[in-house]
Every structure is written in C-alpha cells, then in structure tokens.
C-alpha cells in the first residue's frame, strides 16, 4: 500500500488495540499511526515495546472523555481514519461500577464522533470512522442459532448496554450527518497481552500459581473464541475494503463451553509445567454465577468471509498453546500488571463467591 494516511487508533495500548497497532505500523510504513490511550489499568505501553521506536508510530496519552483534549488532538493531526477501540471492556467490572462504562464507552465515543465530524466538515471523501464493537450487544442465544448483522440488539449487562449505545450513536452519525462509518461486532478474543481479569489469562495465572480457578455457575456458558491476530487482520481488511455504512460480524466459528475450554487449558498447562496429567484440573472451582450471565454467544461471520474473503487461520488448541507459551515466558509482564490495582480488584470480585 503506497498511499499516505494519518490514522488514529484509540485504545492501542490495550489487548486487541496493541495487536491492531502492531499490524498497521509494520504493514503500512507510509501511514502515520497515532495511538491515543488513557493508559487505564488495562492499557500498557509494554505491549508495544517492539514497535515503539518505528518512525511511523506516535503515542498520545488521551482520555476520550475529555472533549477539549479530543478536539486538541484532532487539531494537531489531520486524521484520514479513526479505528476506535478504547473502552472499558470487562463485564464483571461493569456490574460493580457501571459509571465508567457510560463515560468512556458512550460519552467518549460521542466526543470522537463530534471531533471527526468537525475535522471532516469540508470533505468526507476517503475518510472513515471505524467503531470496534462486540457480539454482546445482541444479548444471549439459546442452544441454537447465530448472531448475524441483522440480529436485534438486546444487551444484558451494563458493559454491553454501553457498547450497544455507542454502536447506535455511530450509526446515527452516519445516517444523520453523513459521517462515513463502519461498525464491526466481534466474539471473544484470546491471545498474548490480554489482561488477566478475563477468563483465559486469569486461569493461566491461577494454575501457574496453584490457585483455585473460579468457574462461574456450572461452567455451561458458551463463548465463540477467536485468536486476537485473526481479529486484527479482520480490522485491517474491513478498514481498507469494508463498505461505509455497513456492519460486519467477526467470529471464530469456535464455540466452547467454559468448563470444556478450562479442561483443555488444564491439560496444556500440565504439559507445559511438567505436571502429572490431571493436576491442574483439580484447581477448577465452581463459584457463584455472574449476575445476568449470558448463556451463549455465537457469530455468523459469513458476510465478512464472502464479501471480503476473511478467514481466521488459527487452530484453537494451537492458538491456546501459543497463548500459554506467551504467558509462561512473559511472567515479568504478568507480575507487573497483577500488582497493585489488580490485587484489590481480585479480592473484591472473588472473596464473596
Ligand atoms: P482492553 O480493556 O484490553 O483495552 C482497552 C484500552 O482502552 C486500554 O488500553 C485502556 O487504557 C483504553 N481506555 C480505556 N478508557 C479510556 C479512555 N477513557 N480514554 C482513552 N483510552 C481508554 O480491551 P480489549 O479487550 O482490547 O477491547 C478493545 C475493544 O474491542 C473494546 O472496544 C471492546 O469492547 C472490543 N471487543 C473486545 C473483545 C474481547 O474479547 N476482548 C471482543 C469484541 C470486542
Ligand atoms: O463476546 C465478546 C466479549 O468477550 C467482549 O466484548 C468483552 O470485552 C470480553 O471481556 C468478553 O466478555 P466475556 O464476559 O465473555 O469474557 P470473560 O473472559 O469475562 O468471561 C468468559 C466466560 O467465562 C464467561 O462466560 C464468564 C466466565 N468466567 C469468567 C471469569 C473472569 C468464569 O467462569 N470465571 C471467571 O473468573
């Protein structure tokens, strides 16, 4: 790609954002990639040490809730495109403290939409506001069926309600003001650099430390898991080839009951840690369920596959093994992110269960 572009990626210091930033910085040397992130507990510049010195990469510390700061950033750079990932992203935290989700996910998104509209008031030609969202906006499935781009919105947690709200606002700006927008809704991601409050890295960390692994309810809930680099590749494809005004669902076609996934992970951990088969599984501990816990998510991503030719390439047990290897060889990263705030969160989240 020879074209020059200035791209804003919000939330680029987080889990998925850091993989998207890395892909864009490496693949598009003629682009200027501005990573704007508040660096909350979930944002970590250590996720990007391998590319931080690249000439086409710039980091800007930014709270998207701060309207003036957002507008200042837009006057500093003439952005051609926005890929908006910054969000409060953990369902359990949204249950104990919904306000931050309303501020960042809704107000923050509106600030970015207004700044884009203002920046592109003379011409919207070739510009794009690409909003990264979740399959959780569709609510919960029963045992059968899939979420398609036409599934009705039915969010059930404060997190998913805030993401649904931001999706509606993005589309409303497209419809009302002609802002070129795209939304994609993705299923559960896993892979390196995920904060260990989420199921897979939390379980890896607890197993490594011989601590109980909390399984909510009976472990019967189903999630559709996608390797994070496959999501980043979909973002690249949608950003460059997607049609403005459209929505794309992204999913791994890879459904697992939590309990089955954890048993597979335990077997991998036993092998990697040189433990006798069955040792890690003894750590699985059923605990009180998440309030309002969605039963099943599963994505039909045929539109993305058929229209844009996207294909997730990672085999799940291979991807999981790669993920375990990453955490076991990056214990310094893990130890740093689980100090301080994480200890307090873990105590509050799991002590009553
Ligand atoms: P994450 O929590 O790992 O990272 C979020 C990033 O946003 C962090 O770097 C954080 O510092 C930043 N951030 C938070 N509040 C901010 C603010 N007010 N201003 C600026 N930056 C702020 O999240 P993730 O799992 O990487 O998810 C990224 C996006 O993808 C989110 O929009 C999420 O809803 C969506 N998503 C996630 C998944 C998943 O499985 N993790 C699946 C589908 C969609
Ligand atoms: O579907 C996409 C969504 O996936 C994203 O939008 C969210 O940002 C992301 O956090 C994720 O949400 P989930 O709630 O599905 O992910 P989490 O890792 O928190 O939980 C996965 C499943 O595991 C869920 O059924 C709850 C269960 N669980 C989770 C934790 C943290 C446990 O059983 N024990 C745990 O300790």
């Amino acid at each position: 790609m020879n074209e020059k572009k200035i791209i804003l990626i919000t939330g680029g210091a987080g889990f998925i954002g850091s993989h998207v930033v890395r892909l864009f910085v490496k693949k598009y040397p003629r682009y200027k990639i501005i990573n704007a992130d508040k660096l909350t507990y979930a944002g970590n510049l250590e996720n990007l040490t391998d590319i931080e010195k690249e000439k086409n990469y710039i980091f800007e510390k930014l709270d998207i809730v701060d309207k003036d700061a957002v507008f200042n950033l837009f006057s500093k750079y003439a952005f051609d495109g926005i890929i908006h990932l910054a969000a409060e992203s953990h369902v359990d935290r949204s249950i104990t403290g919904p306000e931050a989700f309303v501020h960042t996910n809704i107000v923050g998104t509106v600030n970015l939409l207004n700044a884009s509209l203002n920046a592109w008031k003379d011409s919207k030609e070739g510009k794009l506001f690409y909003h990264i969202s979740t399959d959780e906006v569709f609510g919960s499935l029963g045992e059968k069926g899939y979420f398609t781009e036409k599934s009705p919105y039915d969010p059930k947690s404060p997190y998913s309600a805030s993401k649904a709200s931001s999706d509606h606002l993005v589309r409303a700006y497209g419809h009302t003001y002609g802002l070129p927008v795209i939304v994609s809704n993705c299923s559960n991601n896993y892979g390196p650099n995920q904060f260990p409050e989420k199921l897979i890295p939390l379980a890896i960390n607890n197993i490594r430390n011989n601590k109980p692994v909390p399984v909510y309810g009976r472990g019967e809930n189903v999630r559709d898991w996608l390797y994070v680099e496959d999501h980043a590749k979909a973002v690249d494809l949608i950003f460059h080839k997607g049609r403005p005004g459209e929505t794309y669902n992204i999913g791994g076609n890879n459904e697992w009951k939590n309990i089955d996934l954890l048993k597979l992970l335990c077997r991998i951990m036993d092998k990697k840690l040189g433990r006798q088969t069955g040792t890690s599984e003894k750590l699985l501990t059923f605990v009180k369920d998440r309030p309002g816990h969605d039963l099943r998510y599963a994505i039909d991503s045929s539109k993305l596959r058929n229209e844009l030719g996207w294909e997730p390439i990672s085999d799940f047990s291979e991807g999981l093994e790669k993920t375990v290897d990453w955490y076991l060889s990056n214990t310094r990263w893990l130890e740093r992110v689980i100090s301080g705030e994480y200890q307090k969160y873990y105590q509050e989240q799991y002590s009553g269960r």
Side-chain angles (χ1 to χ4, degrees):
M1 180 100 25
N2 232 0
E3 209 186 340
K4 283 188 175 175
K5 276 181 195 270
I6 305 177
I7 314 286
L8 169 64
I9 300 182
T10 70
F15 167 48
I16 302 170
S18 61
H19 289 273
V20 174
V21 166
R22 177 175 298 102
L23 188 156
F24 273 69
V25 166
K26 286 190 165 173
K27 188 167 171 188
Y28 303 108
R30 285 170 67 80
Y31 285 9
K32 193 178 274 183
I33 305 299
I34 318 300
N35 168 17
D37 196 299
K38 182 183 174 182
L39 301 180
T40 65
Y41 75 93
N44 186 350
L45 287 176
E46 278 187 50
N47 295 347
L48 291 165
T49 42
D50 59 325
I51 56 102
E52 70 187 0
K53 298 217 161 62
E54 296 298 333
K55 283 205 283 293
N56 61 340
Y57 171 73
I58 296 170
F59 173 71
E60 293 276 359
K61 192 160 189 291
L62 173 81
D63 180 353
I64 57 168
V65 178
D66 181 343
K67 184 179 164 188
D68 292 342
V70 171
F71 272 72
N72 283 341
L73 189 77
F74 275 69
S75 52
K76 188 165 170 191
Y77 302 99
F79 295 121
D80 297 297
I82 323 291
I83 305 177
H84 175 36
L85 295 110
E88 287 291 339
S89 69
H90 191 37
V91 173
D92 290 327
R93 287 186 192 251
S94 82
I95 294 168
T96 49
E99 292 86 352
F101 289 72
V102 173
H103 290 256
T104 288
N105 298 0
I106 306 177
V107 177
T109 301
V110 170
N111 286 339
L112 290 164
L113 287 166
N114 284 334
S116 305
L117 209 52
N118 179 58
W120 300 337
K121 58 181 177 298
D122 294 332
S123 169
K124 299 180 183 68
E125 188 63 37
K127 311 292 191 223
L128 182 64
F129 188 103
Y130 176 13
H131 179 61
I132 306 294
S133 191
T134 169
D135 59 359
E136 300 200 10
V137 298
F138 301 121
S140 180
L141 290 165
E143 307 233 314
K144 291 212 172 77
Y146 296 91
F147 296 131
T148 73
E149 287 80 4
K150 294 198 165 50
S151 296
Y153 271 40
D154 189 16
K156 308 268 194 209
S157 73
Y159 163 67
S160 53
S162 68
K163 289 296 290 186
S165 176
S166 63
D167 292 12
H168 287 318
L169 283 158
V170 170
R171 293 196 185 99
Y173 272 63
H175 184 77
T176 308
Y177 306 113
L179 192 72
V181 300
I182 292 183
V183 178
S184 63
N185 297 86
C186 189
S187 64
N188 287 62
N189 285 218
Y190 72 100
N193 302 105
Q194 187 169 31
F195 194 81
E197 64 190 353
K198 308 279 168 64
L199 179 68
I200 290 177
L202 183 146
I204 294 172
N205 187 43
N206 284 16
I207 293 169
R208 168 179 98 88
N209 291 311
N210 272 310
K211 275 176 62 180
V213 176
V215 185
Y216 295 169
R218 302 302 307 154
E220 296 288 313
N221 303 66
V222 175
R223 298 292 183 265
D224 172 2
W225 293 94
L226 178 70
Y227 194 63
V228 64
E229 287 179 2
D230 284 329
H231 188 184
K233 284 179 194 154
V235 170
D236 176 23
L237 206 54
I238 292 168
F239 181 76
H240 288 100
K241 304 256 167 63
R243 285 179 291 142
E246 292 290 319
T247 294
Y248 297 89
N249 277 0
I250 312 171
N253 198 17
N254 178 39
E255 291 181 52
W256 285 80
K257 278 188 183 169
N258 292 338
I259 189 68
D260 296 335
L261 182 157
L262 287 169
K263 285 181 180 169
L264 170 63
L265 183 65
C266 286
R267 288 196 291 278
I268 295 174
M269 290 294 285
D270 282 344
K271 192 173 83 182
K272 299 284 174 188
L273 297 172
R275 292 179 183 167
Q276 206 183 354
T277 309
T279 311
S280 300
E281 209 176 298
K282 294 202 185 90
L283 295 168
L284 300 183
T285 308
F286 293 104
V287 300
K288 198 163 146 240
D289 210 353
R290 172 186 279 174
H293 197 172
D294 288 341
L295 177 67
R296 175 173 166 256
Y297 308 140
I299 279 274
D300 174 351
S301 57
S302 50
K303 178 175 173 183
L304 179 62
R305 289 167 191 258
N306 297 338
E307 273 189 27
L308 303 186
W310 175 77
E311 206 55 64
I313 50 170
S314 305
D315 168 78
F316 187 54
S317 42
E318 220 175 86
L320 205 51
E321 204 161 322
K322 229 167 30 170
T323 305
V324 169
D325 285 339
W326 187 85
Y327 280 94
L328 294 182
S329 49
N330 286 276
T331 46
R332 214 172 75 95
W333 181 94
L334 201 47
E335 293 301 338
R336 283 224 212 155
V337 301
I338 62 177
S339 60
E341 196 273 351
Y342 180 81
Q343 300 298 339
K344 188 166 160 273
Y345 162 79
Y346 198 91
Q347 185 62 24
E348 282 169 8
Q349 186 63 33
Y350 292 99
S351 61
R353 283 195 133 109

